[in-house]
Amino acid sequence: MKSKKSLGRIIWTLLFGITLLTIIVMLVCSYASTKKLLTDRNRLSQQSAVNALVASNDSLQNSTEKELEELANSSVFKQNKYDSKAIRQGLNMARKGNTQWIHIHFGSTKGEMITFNKLPTGYDPRTRPWYTGALNDDGQIFWTTPYKSTDTGKMQTTAAVTVKNSQGQVIGVLGIDLSYDNLAKTISSMNVGRTGSVTLVAKDGTVLASRGKSKNYTFSSGQSIKNNSVFKAISAAKSNSGVLTVNDKQIGQVYYNKTDDGEWSFAVVDHNDLNTELHSLLIISLVITLIMLVIVTLYAMYSSKVIKETVAVYIKHFKAASEGKFSKIKPFSGGNTFKLLGNPTKLGEKLSSPDENGQEFNQIAYHYNQMVTAIGGSINKVQGESNHVAEKSNSLLGLSQQTNKATEEVAQAITGIAQVTTSQAQETSDSVGQLKHLSDVIKTLHKNVKQMNERSANAGKLNQQNLEISDQVADNWNQELTKMQELETSVSHLNEQVQNINKIVNVISGISRQTNLLALNASIEAAGAGEAGKGFAVVATEIRKLSDQSKDSTKEIEEILGKIQVDSGEMVKKMGASVAGGKEQTKLIDQAIGSSKDVFGVNQKLIQDIQEIEQASGKIAEVQSKIEESLENISASTEENSAGAEEVSANSEEVQATMEEFTNHVSELQKTADELKKIVAAFEFDK
């Protein structure tokens, strides 16, 4: 057994799919935007760390250079006479004022070394790079290449400048040792993402300072990374700063800064730096997705229940309408919409309550009730007219049956007349034959005169009866002719009634077209309503089907009425022809009556003649010729009467056949009227 399709399932599927798609789009967008934000955050933290490292290094170097220049120009070096003790005291005071310096020292042109740390035996400052470099720069501050300290094991550099006395003569080189450990402490407080690190490296690949949480890119001081892929990429970069993408799956993008003094800095973050935030985002998104799907499922189930209950009201009424019972949708008075949210059944009844100015379902119910009212009025009119047609059909059937019976009686009477007239013609013909042999029986005429007189008397009686019967036939025929004329009028009236029925059928057909148009408008409204109107689009289709069925039934009724109209028209024509033929038969009957009267007169004269023959048989020969002539006339008239009677009989049979056909048509009309009455009576409407 096939399961019924449900609009709720479609709604649930659409809501679930749209919600799931929306959540997926939001999740993807959120993931992408969050990843971009985190990536930008890491890039900014990398850039900040690198810039802060560069700024700290530059600040340290600038402050060292400034203090170095001030110290070189101090009074301890500007005396006219070289005083090593005063120089030591000045350097000691300067050393205590700056904790960032590791060592401060002065090497004289004579090889004397003033310092505060232990020197190896035979140490000559004039051979050290910081000393020779300062002399070569002649007054400019010289920075040595970073190197690892032998006593501390940490990377450091030395800033040196030549010192001149008051006469402008070079008396030595003043140097300050700076450790990169101070920069390492500065950058150790920086957070480069979750797993990033920042590194200061010399141009030759020697690590000066490196701090951070990256496992693979946090280097030890003095380590050489010249073969590292990041260092190679920075060396190959054309710009002094920027972002590089290195072919290393362990890290992401690299931000670098190459200064002109040969000390480069760069910051990296591990490739999985964003995993924690992104995993948290995914978990939160999945939880939200599950919650949203549960909410959407519950909402879809509730909405489908409400829609199902709403549509159930329409299905109930349309189902009853398909069975011919048109009941109106009753208004709902069980409370407002908000109070009914917990009861989907009542809410469905509320939504389907008829209201011309309400929402779409209310308007559908309102116009459905209007349709029931309009169709009910039309069907009630059709019911009244169908009852009238049935009554007229019954009356017409009774009248046609009576007319048929009367026509049959007329036909029988005319047939009897024809038989009698034929017999008379035969007897008259025999009399003529006997009259020709009258000369042979003239001798016995006297004997038979008395018998002839009796026969003549009997013939007079028969002629008298014939005249009476002919008068009765004429009267009956005139009555039947009057009835046939009345029947012709009734058939014409019936034809007019059939035309009226056709008008009613046209009204029904118009109602069917209006219903079809209304169903079409309902389909258009349902299509304009979108998804909410799909359920009613099915209902509108069913209404259109009912309208098409009504249209087909109306068409069948029109075809039946068309046949009835044709038959009634033919009947009217045949009745007209029958009435015209009846008038002709009336003339023939009048002629037959006239001839019978002539025969009666002749018979009376014959009786007189026979009486005269009886009185005077001597005049038989003379009377014989007259009788022969009279009998020949009687024979001709009798034959003519016989032919007329046979023609009247044939016309009567034709009229009888026509009346039988007419009766059959009237019977079919009665059946059609009864069937129409049953069909219309099957419709029930609310008042």
Side-chain angles (χ1 to χ4, degrees):
M1 185 177 181
K2 294 183 178 179
S3 61
K4 293 184 178 179
K5 296 181 178 179
S6 176
L7 184 62
R9 184 177 300 174
I10 298 175
I11 293 175
W12 182 86
T13 303
L14 288 175
L15 284 177
F16 190 86
I18 292 172
T19 303
L20 184 60
L21 180 61
T22 302
I23 292 174
I24 291 174
V25 172
M26 290 178 62
L27 179 60
V28 172
C29 294
S30 177
Y31 183 86
S33 61
T34 303
K35 185 176 181 181
K36 184 177 184 301
L37 289 174
L38 293 175
T39 303
D40 292 341
R41 181 203 67 183
N42 287 347
R43 186 180 299 114
L44 289 175
S45 64
Q46 288 175 268
Q47 183 177 356
S48 298
V50 169
N51 292 336
L53 180 59
V54 171
S56 298
N57 190 28
D58 291 341
S59 177
L60 180 59
Q61 290 181 357
N62 291 333
S63 63
T64 300
E65 288 180 355
K66 183 177 180 181
E67 293 180 2
L68 187 60
E69 289 178 351
E70 290 178 353
L71 188 59
N73 294 320
S74 63
S75 60
V76 295
F77 295 110
K78 297 300 182 181
Q79 299 178 6
N80 294 327
K81 185 179 180 181
Y82 177 78
D83 187 356
S84 60
K85 184 177 179 180
I87 293 174
R88 177 177 290 275
Q89 290 178 351
L91 294 179
N92 188 32
M93 292 177 62
R95 179 176 66 87
K96 292 180 180 181
N98 197 325
T99 60
Q100 292 181 343
W101 297 346
I102 298 177
H103 301 293
I104 185 169
H105 45 79
F106 176 76
S108 67
T109 56
K110 296 179 179 180
E112 181 183 3
M113 184 66 177
I114 300 175
T115 184
F116 300 96
N117 59 324
K118 187 178 181 180
L119 296 174
T121 305
Y123 181 87
D124 188 357
R126 292 174 295 180
T127 62
R128 307 304 297 172
W130 58 272
Y131 189 95
T132 59
L135 289 178
N136 292 331
D137 284 348
D138 190 19
Q140 300 294 326
I141 295 176
F142 170 76
W143 289 89
T144 64
T145 302
Y147 58 93
K148 182 178 289 188
S149 175
T150 56
D151 54 349
T152 62
K154 297 180 180 180
M155 294 299 295
Q156 64 184 34
T157 185
T158 301
V161 66
T162 57
V163 178
K164 296 180 181 180
N165 56 18
S166 59
Q167 287 80 25
Q169 296 176 346
V170 176
I171 61 174
V173 175
L174 179 63
I176 298 175
D177 295 336
L178 294 176
S179 175
Y180 288 99
D181 188 56
N182 291 328
L183 292 177
K185 292 178 181 179
T186 301
I187 62 177
S188 62
S189 61
M190 299 179 183
N191 291 324
V192 183
R194 288 179 175 269
T195 60
S197 64
V198 60
T199 301
L200 182 66
V201 62
K203 190 174 183 180
D204 60 356
T206 302
V207 176
L208 304 178
S210 181
R211 290 290 187 272
K213 299 178 181 179
S214 177
K215 295 180 180 180
N216 299 314
Y217 280 88
T218 301
F219 308 101
S220 60
S221 180
Q223 180 181 352
S224 177
I225 60 171
K226 62 181 180 180
N227 294 324
N228 186 276
S229 58
V230 173
F231 184 79
K232 289 181 178 179
I234 295 174
S235 299
K238 295 180 179 181
S239 60
N240 291 332
S241 63
V243 179
L244 294 175
T245 301
V246 183
N247 187 18
D248 189 345
K249 296 182 179 180
Q250 296 178 348
I251 60 173
Q253 292 181 334
V254 178
Y255 183 83
Y256 71 95
N257 190 330
K258 295 192 296 184
T259 57
D260 295 335
D261 57 4
E263 295 179 353
W264 300 347
S265 60
F266 65 90
V268 297
V269 291
D270 289 348
H271 189 268
N272 59 353
D273 183 79
L274 305 180
N275 288 347
T276 302
E277 288 88 347
L278 295 179
H279 287 168
S280 299
L281 176 63
L282 288 176
I283 292 173
I284 294 173
S285 299
L286 289 176
V287 172
I288 294 174
T289 300
L290 292 176
I291 295 174
M292 289 296 296
L293 291 179
V294 171
I295 293 174
V296 168
T297 300
L298 294 176
Y299 175 74
M301 293 174 63
Y302 178 81
S303 299
S304 62
K305 177 66 176 176
V306 173
I307 293 176
K308 183 178 181 180
E309 295 297 335
T310 303
V311 176
V313 177
Y314 298 107
I315 293 175
K316 175 183 175 182
H317 287 80
F318 283 122
K319 184 177 180 181
S322 66
E323 297 173 354
K325 299 177 181 179
F326 290 83
S327 60
K328 293 183 179 180
I329 300 175
K330 305 299 182 183
F332 181 79
S333 58
N336 57 37
T337 303
F338 295 100
K339 292 182 179 180
L340 299 176
L341 291 177
N343 191 340
T345 301
K346 294 295 183 181
L347 184 58
E349 294 178 1
K350 172 70 175 178
L351 294 178
S352 61
S353 178
D355 185 0
E356 183 180 7
N357 299 319
Q359 40 83 15
E360 288 77 3
F361 284 115
N362 297 141
Q363 294 180 15
I364 291 172
Y366 173 80
H367 289 291
Y368 171 80
N369 288 348
Q370 295 295 107
M371 180 190 72
V372 171
T373 301
I375 296 178
S378 300
I379 295 297
N380 288 333
K381 293 181 181 179
V382 174
Q383 287 177 343
E385 294 298 330
S386 63
N387 292 331
H388 183 68
V389 171
E391 292 175 359
K392 292 298 182 180
S393 299
N394 292 330
S395 177
L396 184 60
L397 180 61
L399 182 61
S400 64
Q401 290 175 348
Q402 294 177 1
T403 304
N404 190 20
K405 184 177 180 181
T407 304
E408 183 178 359
E409 292 177 356
V410 171
Q412 292 177 356
I414 293 176
T415 302
I417 293 173
Q419 292 175 354
V420 172
T421 305
T422 303
S423 177
Q424 288 178 353
Q426 185 64 36
E427 291 179 356
T428 304
S429 179
D430 293 340
S431 298
V432 174
Q434 291 177 0
L435 187 59
K436 290 181 180 179
H437 298 286
L438 183 61
S439 60
D440 296 333
V441 296
I442 195 63
K443 293 180 180 181
T444 59
L445 179 62
H446 185 69
K447 295 181 180 179
N448 295 328
V449 167
K450 193 174 184 177
Q451 186 177 359
M452 288 176 62
N453 190 21
E454 294 176 355
R455 290 180 177 176
S456 296
N458 291 331
K461 292 179 180 181
L462 291 174
N463 284 330
Q464 183 65 33
Q465 292 177 357
N466 189 17
L467 286 173
E468 292 176 355
I469 292 171
S470 297
D471 290 334
Q472 292 178 358
V473 169
D475 293 336
N476 290 333
W477 178 253
N478 289 328
Q479 293 177 1
E480 293 302 323
L481 182 61
T482 301
K483 291 180 179 180
M484 289 176 66
Q485 291 175 347
E486 292 177 355
L487 181 59
E488 181 183 15
T489 303
S490 298
V491 170
S492 299
H493 183 67
L494 174 62
N495 191 20
E496 294 176 356
Q497 293 296 327
V498 170
Q499 296 295 332
N500 292 331
I501 294 174
N502 192 21
K503 294 179 180 179
I504 295 171
V505 171
N506 291 331
V507 173
I508 297 174
S509 178
I511 294 172
S512 176
R513 288 193 298 270
Q514 292 177 359
T515 304
N516 193 6
L517 182 59
L518 181 59
L520 180 60
N521 291 332
S523 299
I524 295 173
E525 293 296 328
E531 295 296 332
K534 280 189 176 180
F536 188 68
V538 177
V539 176
T541 303
E542 293 298 325
I543 293 176
R544 292 180 66 187
K545 290 181 180 179
L546 291 175
S547 176
D548 293 336
Q549 291 177 1
S550 300
K551 183 179 180 181
D552 295 337
S553 299
T554 305
K555 186 176 181 181
E556 292 178 359
I557 294 173
E558 287 179 348
E559 292 176 356
I560 294 172
L561 290 177
K563 293 180 181 180
I564 293 175
Q565 289 176 2
V566 174
D567 293 337
S568 62
E570 292 295 328
M571 194 179 298
V572 171
K573 291 181 181 179
K574 290 182 179 180
M575 288 300 300
S578 297
V579 172
K583 291 180 180 179
E584 294 296 327
Q585 296 302 322
T586 300
K587 293 180 181 179
L588 294 176
I589 291 173
D590 291 336
Q591 292 178 1
I593 293 172
S595 298
S596 297
K597 288 180 179 179
D598 293 338
V599 171
F600 179 75
V602 172
N603 286 334
Q604 292 296 325
K605 187 176 181 180
L606 179 60
I607 292 171
Q608 292 176 1
D609 290 340
I610 292 173
Q611 289 176 353
E612 290 178 357
I613 290 172
E614 186 179 4
Q615 294 175 359
S617 57
K619 297 181 180 179
I620 292 176
E622 184 179 355
V623 175
Q624 178 184 357
S625 59
K626 294 181 179 180
I627 292 174
E628 183 177 2
E629 182 180 359
S630 297
L631 287 176
E632 288 179 353
N633 292 331
I634 291 172
S635 178
S637 298
T638 303
E639 290 177 356
E640 185 177 357
N641 288 338
S642 177
E646 290 178 355
E647 185 177 357
V648 171
S649 178
N651 290 332
S652 297
E653 291 178 355
E654 183 178 357
V655 171
Q656 184 178 3
T658 302
M659 288 305 301
E660 289 178 355
E661 185 178 1
F662 175 71
T663 302
N664 292 332
H665 288 318
V666 172
S667 179
E668 292 179 358
L669 177 60
Q670 184 190 23
K671 293 179 181 178
T672 302
D674 292 338
E675 187 68 23
L676 177 61
K677 185 177 179 181
K678 291 178 181 178
I679 293 173
V680 175
F683 292 95
E684 296 180 4
F685 295 88
D686 286 345
K687 301 297 183 181

mmCIF file of all heavy atoms in Angstrom, residues 351-380:
data_model
loop_
_atom_site.group_PDB
_atom_site.id
_atom_site.type_symbol
_atom_site.label_atom_id
_atom_site.label_comp_id
_atom_site.label_asym_id
_atom_site.label_seq_id
_atom_site.Cartn_x
_atom_site.Cartn_y
_atom_site.Cartn_z
ATOM 1 N N LEU A 351 -6.475 28.982 11.400
ATOM 2 C CA LEU A 351 -5.881 29.456 10.146
ATOM 3 C C LEU A 351 -6.808 29.223 8.959
ATOM 4 O O LEU A 351 -6.723 29.936 7.960
ATOM 5 C CB LEU A 351 -4.547 28.750 9.915
ATOM 6 C CG LEU A 351 -3.433 29.083 10.921
ATOM 7 C CD1 LEU A 351 -2.189 28.270 10.603
ATOM 8 C CD2 LEU A 351 -3.109 30.568 10.907
ATOM 9 N N SER A 352 -7.679 28.197 9.026
ATOM 10 C CA SER A 352 -8.587 27.893 7.913
ATOM 11 C C SER A 352 -9.949 28.532 8.082
ATOM 12 O O SER A 352 -10.871 28.226 7.326
ATOM 13 C CB SER A 352 -8.748 26.374 7.778
ATOM 14 O OG SER A 352 -9.305 25.825 8.968
ATOM 15 N N SER A 353 -10.114 29.390 9.088
ATOM 16 C CA SER A 353 -11.387 30.075 9.288
ATOM 17 C C SER A 353 -11.599 31.099 8.178
ATOM 18 O O SER A 353 -10.674 31.825 7.805
ATOM 19 C CB SER A 353 -11.391 30.760 10.654
ATOM 20 O OG SER A 353 -12.604 31.479 10.858
ATOM 21 N N PRO A 354 -12.815 31.190 7.610
ATOM 22 C CA PRO A 354 -13.059 32.125 6.493
ATOM 23 C C PRO A 354 -12.981 33.580 6.943
ATOM 24 O O PRO A 354 -13.597 33.974 7.934
ATOM 25 C CB PRO A 354 -14.482 31.756 6.031
ATOM 26 C CG PRO A 354 -15.118 31.095 7.208
ATOM 27 C CD PRO A 354 -14.026 30.385 7.936
ATOM 28 N N ASP A 355 -12.188 34.352 6.232
ATOM 29 C CA ASP A 355 -12.040 35.779 6.518
ATOM 30 C C ASP A 355 -11.554 36.460 5.246
ATOM 31 O O ASP A 355 -10.478 36.148 4.735
ATOM 32 C CB ASP A 355 -11.048 36.001 7.664
ATOM 33 C CG ASP A 355 -10.974 37.471 8.073
ATOM 34 O OD1 ASP A 355 -11.688 38.298 7.469
ATOM 35 O OD2 ASP A 355 -10.197 37.790 8.996
ATOM 36 N N GLU A 356 -12.359 37.364 4.726
ATOM 37 C CA GLU A 356 -12.021 38.022 3.455
ATOM 38 C C GLU A 356 -10.744 38.842 3.566
ATOM 39 O O GLU A 356 -9.966 38.915 2.622
ATOM 40 C CB GLU A 356 -13.175 38.911 3.017
ATOM 41 C CG GLU A 356 -12.953 39.584 1.660
ATOM 42 C CD GLU A 356 -14.111 40.450 1.243
ATOM 43 O OE1 GLU A 356 -15.038 40.646 2.069
ATOM 44 O OE2 GLU A 356 -14.114 40.933 0.103
ATOM 45 N N ASN A 357 -10.469 39.429 4.744
ATOM 46 C CA ASN A 357 -9.305 40.289 4.941
ATOM 47 C C ASN A 357 -8.209 39.603 5.746
ATOM 48 O O ASN A 357 -7.285 40.256 6.220
ATOM 49 C CB ASN A 357 -9.731 41.585 5.639
ATOM 50 C CG ASN A 357 -10.734 42.377 4.829
ATOM 51 O OD1 ASN A 357 -10.605 42.479 3.612
ATOM 52 N ND2 ASN A 357 -11.748 42.918 5.491
ATOM 53 N N GLY A 358 -8.314 38.276 5.932
ATOM 54 C CA GLY A 358 -7.315 37.552 6.702
ATOM 55 C C GLY A 358 -6.140 37.131 5.844
ATOM 56 O O GLY A 358 -5.937 37.619 4.722
ATOM 57 N N GLN A 359 -5.343 36.170 6.414
ATOM 58 C CA GLN A 359 -4.217 35.658 5.651
ATOM 59 C C GLN A 359 -4.698 34.733 4.525
ATOM 60 O O GLN A 359 -5.901 34.553 4.335
ATOM 61 C CB GLN A 359 -3.218 34.944 6.591
ATOM 62 C CG GLN A 359 -3.844 34.092 7.683
ATOM 63 C CD GLN A 359 -4.238 32.709 7.216
ATOM 64 O OE1 GLN A 359 -3.819 32.273 6.170
ATOM 65 N NE2 GLN A 359 -5.060 32.038 7.981
ATOM 66 N N GLU A 360 -3.759 34.168 3.758
ATOM 67 C CA GLU A 360 -4.110 33.465 2.523
ATOM 68 C C GLU A 360 -5.085 32.317 2.766
ATOM 69 O O GLU A 360 -6.064 32.142 2.024
ATOM 70 C CB GLU A 360 -2.839 32.928 1.843
ATOM 71 C CG GLU A 360 -1.955 33.976 1.198
ATOM 72 C CD GLU A 360 -1.121 34.749 2.186
ATOM 73 O OE1 GLU A 360 -1.193 34.424 3.394
ATOM 74 O OE2 GLU A 360 -0.396 35.680 1.768
ATOM 75 N N PHE A 361 -4.846 31.501 3.827
ATOM 76 C CA PHE A 361 -5.751 30.388 4.102
ATOM 77 C C PHE A 361 -7.148 30.897 4.456
ATOM 78 O O PHE A 361 -8.160 30.308 4.053
ATOM 79 C CB PHE A 361 -5.200 29.523 5.241
ATOM 80 C CG PHE A 361 -4.067 28.646 4.820
ATOM 81 C CD1 PHE A 361 -2.796 28.829 5.336
ATOM 82 C CD2 PHE A 361 -4.249 27.635 3.899
ATOM 83 C CE1 PHE A 361 -1.738 28.019 4.960
ATOM 84 C CE2 PHE A 361 -3.204 26.821 3.508
ATOM 85 C CZ PHE A 361 -1.950 27.012 4.034
ATOM 86 N N ASN A 362 -7.226 31.994 5.223
ATOM 87 C CA ASN A 362 -8.532 32.570 5.548
ATOM 88 C C ASN A 362 -9.253 33.038 4.289
ATOM 89 O O ASN A 362 -10.470 32.831 4.135
ATOM 90 C CB ASN A 362 -8.348 33.750 6.505
ATOM 91 C CG ASN A 362 -7.743 33.344 7.837
ATOM 92 O OD1 ASN A 362 -6.926 34.045 8.395
ATOM 93 N ND2 ASN A 362 -8.118 32.176 8.370
ATOM 94 N N GLN A 363 -8.527 33.663 3.374
ATOM 95 C CA GLN A 363 -9.142 34.134 2.129
ATOM 96 C C GLN A 363 -9.611 32.974 1.263
ATOM 97 O O GLN A 363 -10.677 33.033 0.634
ATOM 98 C CB GLN A 363 -8.139 34.996 1.363
ATOM 99 C CG GLN A 363 -7.780 36.296 2.082
ATOM 100 C CD GLN A 363 -6.776 37.125 1.305
ATOM 101 O OE1 GLN A 363 -6.539 36.881 0.121
ATOM 102 N NE2 GLN A 363 -6.171 38.115 1.962
ATOM 103 N N ILE A 364 -8.824 31.882 1.245
ATOM 104 C CA ILE A 364 -9.242 30.701 0.476
ATOM 105 C C ILE A 364 -10.557 30.166 1.027
ATOM 106 O O ILE A 364 -11.491 29.837 0.273
ATOM 107 C CB ILE A 364 -8.142 29.630 0.523
ATOM 108 C CG1 ILE A 364 -6.922 30.099 -0.272
ATOM 109 C CG2 ILE A 364 -8.642 28.308 -0.042
ATOM 110 C CD1 ILE A 364 -5.718 29.204 -0.117
ATOM 111 N N ALA A 365 -10.657 30.038 2.369
ATOM 112 C CA ALA A 365 -11.881 29.545 2.988
ATOM 113 C C ALA A 365 -13.057 30.472 2.683
ATOM 114 O O ALA A 365 -14.173 30.013 2.393
ATOM 115 C CB ALA A 365 -11.690 29.407 4.493
ATOM 116 N N TYR A 366 -12.808 31.791 2.736
ATOM 117 C CA TYR A 366 -13.880 32.745 2.460
ATOM 118 C C TYR A 366 -14.399 32.591 1.023
ATOM 119 O O TYR A 366 -15.612 32.498 0.797
ATOM 120 C CB TYR A 366 -13.366 34.166 2.695
ATOM 121 C CG TYR A 366 -14.342 35.254 2.272
ATOM 122 C CD1 TYR A 366 -15.404 35.607 3.084
ATOM 123 C CD2 TYR A 366 -14.179 35.895 1.044
ATOM 124 C CE1 TYR A 366 -16.305 36.593 2.689
ATOM 125 C CE2 TYR A 366 -15.068 36.875 0.646
ATOM 126 C CZ TYR A 366 -16.129 37.217 1.468
ATOM 127 O OH TYR A 366 -17.006 38.176 1.066
ATOM 128 N N HIS A 367 -13.490 32.548 0.069
ATOM 129 C CA HIS A 367 -13.908 32.416 -1.334
ATOM 130 C C HIS A 367 -14.495 31.033 -1.615
ATOM 131 O O HIS A 367 -15.348 30.882 -2.503
ATOM 132 C CB HIS A 367 -12.716 32.693 -2.255
ATOM 133 C CG HIS A 367 -12.305 34.137 -2.276
ATOM 134 N ND1 HIS A 367 -13.081 35.130 -2.831
ATOM 135 C CD2 HIS A 367 -11.202 34.759 -1.777
ATOM 136 C CE1 HIS A 367 -12.486 36.292 -2.699
ATOM 137 N NE2 HIS A 367 -11.333 36.104 -2.060
ATOM 138 N N TYR A 368 -14.076 30.015 -0.867
ATOM 139 C CA TYR A 368 -14.702 28.699 -1.011
ATOM 140 C C TYR A 368 -16.174 28.776 -0.589
ATOM 141 O O TYR A 368 -17.058 28.237 -1.268
ATOM 142 C CB TYR A 368 -13.960 27.664 -0.175
ATOM 143 C CG TYR A 368 -14.673 26.327 -0.091
ATOM 144 C CD1 TYR A 368 -14.577 25.418 -1.130
ATOM 145 C CD2 TYR A 368 -15.452 25.995 1.010
ATOM 146 C CE1 TYR A 368 -15.243 24.213 -1.077
ATOM 147 C CE2 TYR A 368 -16.120 24.782 1.074
ATOM 148 C CZ TYR A 368 -16.009 23.883 0.033
ATOM 149 O OH TYR A 368 -16.671 22.692 0.094
ATOM 150 N N ASN A 369 -16.436 29.443 0.527
ATOM 151 C CA ASN A 369 -17.825 29.614 0.963
ATOM 152 C C ASN A 369 -18.626 30.406 -0.058
ATOM 153 O O ASN A 369 -19.801 30.102 -0.320
ATOM 154 C CB ASN A 369 -17.859 30.311 2.325
ATOM 155 C CG ASN A 369 -17.394 29.407 3.454
ATOM 156 O OD1 ASN A 369 -17.255 28.196 3.268
ATOM 157 N ND2 ASN A 369 -17.136 29.967 4.627
ATOM 158 N N GLN A 370 -18.007 31.449 -0.638
ATOM 159 C CA GLN A 370 -18.689 32.211 -1.690
ATOM 160 C C GLN A 370 -19.013 31.318 -2.881
ATOM 161 O O GLN A 370 -20.087 31.415 -3.481
ATOM 162 C CB GLN A 370 -17.803 33.380 -2.121
ATOM 163 C CG GLN A 370 -17.562 34.424 -1.041
ATOM 164 C CD GLN A 370 -18.841 35.140 -0.645
ATOM 165 O OE1 GLN A 370 -19.366 34.887 0.434
ATOM 166 N NE2 GLN A 370 -19.347 35.992 -1.489
ATOM 167 N N MET A 371 -18.082 30.433 -3.235
ATOM 168 C CA MET A 371 -18.320 29.518 -4.351
ATOM 169 C C MET A 371 -19.471 28.580 -4.040
ATOM 170 O O MET A 371 -20.329 28.306 -4.887
ATOM 171 C CB MET A 371 -17.041 28.725 -4.636
ATOM 172 C CG MET A 371 -17.164 27.738 -5.779
ATOM 173 S SD MET A 371 -15.745 26.628 -5.898
ATOM 174 C CE MET A 371 -16.055 25.614 -4.445
ATOM 175 N N VAL A 372 -19.503 28.040 -2.803
ATOM 176 C CA VAL A 372 -20.601 27.142 -2.408
ATOM 177 C C VAL A 372 -21.933 27.866 -2.506
ATOM 178 O O VAL A 372 -22.930 27.311 -2.984
ATOM 179 C CB VAL A 372 -20.356 26.607 -0.982
ATOM 180 C CG1 VAL A 372 -21.575 25.869 -0.470
ATOM 181 C CG2 VAL A 372 -19.160 25.675 -0.965
ATOM 182 N N THR A 373 -21.969 29.134 -2.058
ATOM 183 C CA THR A 373 -23.211 29.911 -2.128
ATOM 184 C C THR A 373 -23.659 30.104 -3.574
ATOM 185 O O THR A 373 -24.838 29.910 -3.908
ATOM 186 C CB THR A 373 -23.007 31.271 -1.451
ATOM 187 O OG1 THR A 373 -22.614 31.068 -0.078
ATOM 188 C CG2 THR A 373 -24.291 32.082 -1.474
ATOM 189 N N ALA A 374 -22.714 30.468 -4.449
ATOM 190 C CA ALA A 374 -23.053 30.714 -5.860
ATOM 191 C C ALA A 374 -23.514 29.433 -6.544
ATOM 192 O O ALA A 374 -24.549 29.397 -7.223
ATOM 193 C CB ALA A 374 -21.843 31.304 -6.594
ATOM 194 N N ILE A 375 -22.759 28.353 -6.351
ATOM 195 C CA ILE A 375 -23.138 27.082 -6.993
ATOM 196 C C ILE A 375 -24.454 26.575 -6.418
ATOM 197 O O ILE A 375 -25.308 26.028 -7.130
ATOM 198 C CB ILE A 375 -22.017 26.041 -6.815
ATOM 199 C CG1 ILE A 375 -20.758 26.513 -7.553
ATOM 200 C CG2 ILE A 375 -22.439 24.690 -7.338
ATOM 201 C CD1 ILE A 375 -19.580 25.580 -7.387
ATOM 202 N N GLY A 376 -24.654 26.748 -5.086
ATOM 203 C CA GLY A 376 -25.893 26.294 -4.466
ATOM 204 C C GLY A 376 -27.103 26.993 -5.056
ATOM 205 O O GLY A 376 -28.126 26.362 -5.329
ATOM 206 N N GLY A 377 -26.999 28.323 -5.254
ATOM 207 C CA GLY A 377 -28.110 29.046 -5.860
ATOM 208 C C GLY A 377 -28.421 28.555 -7.256
ATOM 209 O O GLY A 377 -29.593 28.349 -7.622
ATOM 210 N N SER A 378 -27.376 28.318 -8.034
ATOM 211 C CA SER A 378 -27.591 27.840 -9.409
ATOM 212 C C SER A 378 -28.192 26.444 -9.419
ATOM 213 O O SER A 378 -29.126 26.149 -10.172
ATOM 214 C CB SER A 378 -26.256 27.852 -10.162
ATOM 215 O OG SER A 378 -25.718 29.151 -10.202
ATOM 216 N N ILE A 379 -27.672 25.556 -8.565
ATOM 217 C CA ILE A 379 -28.188 24.190 -8.525
ATOM 218 C C ILE A 379 -29.632 24.177 -8.046
ATOM 219 O O ILE A 379 -30.460 23.383 -8.526
ATOM 220 C CB ILE A 379 -27.295 23.306 -7.627
ATOM 221 C CG1 ILE A 379 -25.903 23.175 -8.250
ATOM 222 C CG2 ILE A 379 -27.895 21.925 -7.444
ATOM 223 C CD1 ILE A 379 -25.884 22.503 -9.583
ATOM 224 N N ASN A 380 -29.977 25.056 -7.087
ATOM 225 C CA ASN A 380 -31.369 25.129 -6.630
ATOM 226 C C ASN A 380 -32.301 25.534 -7.774
ATOM 227 O O ASN A 380 -33.409 24.994 -7.915
ATOM 228 C CB ASN A 380 -31.477 26.121 -5.473
ATOM 229 C CG ASN A 380 -30.856 25.592 -4.199
ATOM 230 O OD1 ASN A 380 -30.800 24.373 -3.999
ATOM 231 N ND2 ASN A 380 -30.380 26.468 -3.333
#
